[in-house]
Amino acid sequence: MIVGVPKEIKNNESRVGMTPAGVFELVRSNHTVYVQSNAGIGSGFTNEDYQQVGAIILDTIGQVYAMSEMIVKVKEPIEEEYTLVQEGQIIFTYFHFASSEALTKAMIKSKAICIAYETVEDEDGTLPLLTPMSEVAGRMAIQQGAKYLEKPVKGKGVLLGGVPGVAPGKVLVLGAGVVGIQAAKMAAGLGAHVTILDIDMKRLRYVNDVMPPHVVTEFSNEFNIRKHIKTHDLIIGGVLLKGAKAPNLITRDMLKEMHPGTVIVDVAVDQGGCVETTRPTTHEDPTYIIDDVVHYTVANMPGAVPYTSTMALTNVTLPYVLALAKDGWEVASSKNAALQKGLNIVNGGVVYKEIIEAFGWQSSMV
């Protein structure tokens, strides 16, 4: 198969869909790999690194799309790329369709085969291609939250770990999934007091077992959320509904109950956010303030640490890329139930019901 790796053109996105090590494996299996010039430079990989393992460097993104049977990316195609996607072409990337009707309609119109990293699902319900980026984002959420709690950027002026004689900061984590647990781990490591909420008692028991005593768990409901937002300094939104829009756990009216300078980091922004006032931002302009509450809602947080993120992503995507390149999407997905769940849009029709439900559509075709 001919596999293309374009340069990411989303704002401040420095990751790349495939490392040289991944390209090496594809070439060794007799596939052709086209890489756009300087596609990997933001992650620390030069054109020469790719050429040394057998990739062919192309000058433009248009050439990569035009000459490839499968495109391997990191982020969803943005508007400039919509017309480059070809009928029958496999696009393997993060899509998060439920948060963008325009993207969904564009991919339906393209009649491409859209396989979303975030909905590839193992038998036990885990999301193997989302997990590493959730791990990165969860850890980064605390780094960024700690920074934006500083007074010069309109935060409360709280040091999360405190100092002797001064109580540590308080972190509220919504969701005990991968993002929430990684965020809690980082916050606890800094010495902060952490409260983690979830509706899954199995997850809360797990958190209780593995976390230190200054990480406490409570069942998630509106009463408990309203109680804790009044006293916590940093709030992490880490709620995920597979392939669907995230629920609004914090509504606009709740902001007035928070102390001025409270920081919200909504990691669920890719799926619409679990805070009603969430809107996607970029690393260039990452925050905004509503009712004196600082919102950090960057839609591609792991893009700020592209070397780590790209390596972690290729570690998990490569086996699926190799399977798709070897067998094509129909055979590969029939052999692999996890990959089959990654199918979102096929030949102009939506095949992932959560997308249809997200937009209230009556049909899989629009």
Side-chain angles (χ1 to χ4, degrees), residues 140-150 160 234 236 263 265:
M140 278 190 68
I142 300 302
Q143 286 185 193
Q144 299 302 324
K147 178 169 72 178
Y148 285 100
L149 275 170
E150 296 172 5
L160 277 185
L234 171 59
I236 307 297
V263 175
V265 179

Side-chain angles (χ1 to χ4, degrees), residues 303-315:
V305 286
Y307 175 79
T308 300
S309 297
T310 294
M311 295 289 280
L313 184 59
T314 297
N315 286 344

Side-chain angles (χ1 to χ4, degrees), residues 119-149:
T119 66
V120 172
E121 183 180 342
D122 286 334
E123 284 183 13
D124 61 1
T126 57
L127 305 171
L129 307 191
L130 189 61
T131 295
M133 294 306 96
S134 295
E135 290 169 335
V136 171
R139 294 182 177 210
M140 278 190 68
I142 300 302
Q143 286 185 193
Q144 299 302 324
K147 178 169 72 178
Y148 285 100
L149 275 170

Side-chain angles (χ1 to χ4, degrees), residues 156 172 221-235 249-264 275-277 290-295:
K156 268 189 181 183
L172 176 64
N221 54 43
E222 185 175 340
F223 180 87
N224 283 338
I225 292 171
R226 285 186 180 272
K227 176 180 69 174
H228 288 303
I229 61 174
K230 297 173 183 177
T231 58
H232 284 65
D233 308 301
L234 171 59
I235 300 168
L249 299 185
I250 294 180
T251 54
R252 172 66 188 263
D253 68 291
M254 292 184 187
L255 300 188
K256 297 185 186 301
E257 300 179 36
M258 299 179 193
H259 191 281
T262 298
V263 175
I264 295 173
V275 179
E276 187 178 2
T277 46
I290 298 176
D291 291 339
D292 295 321
V293 174
V294 180
H295 293 60

Side-chain angles (χ1 to χ4, degrees), residues 73-89:
K73 280 174 49 61
V74 179
K75 293 301 290 180
E76 75 284 349
I78 63 173
E79 192 172 351
E80 295 95 298
E81 295 172 88
Y82 290 172
T83 57
L84 300 177
V85 178
Q86 302 173 71
E87 182 174 346
Q89 190 172 48

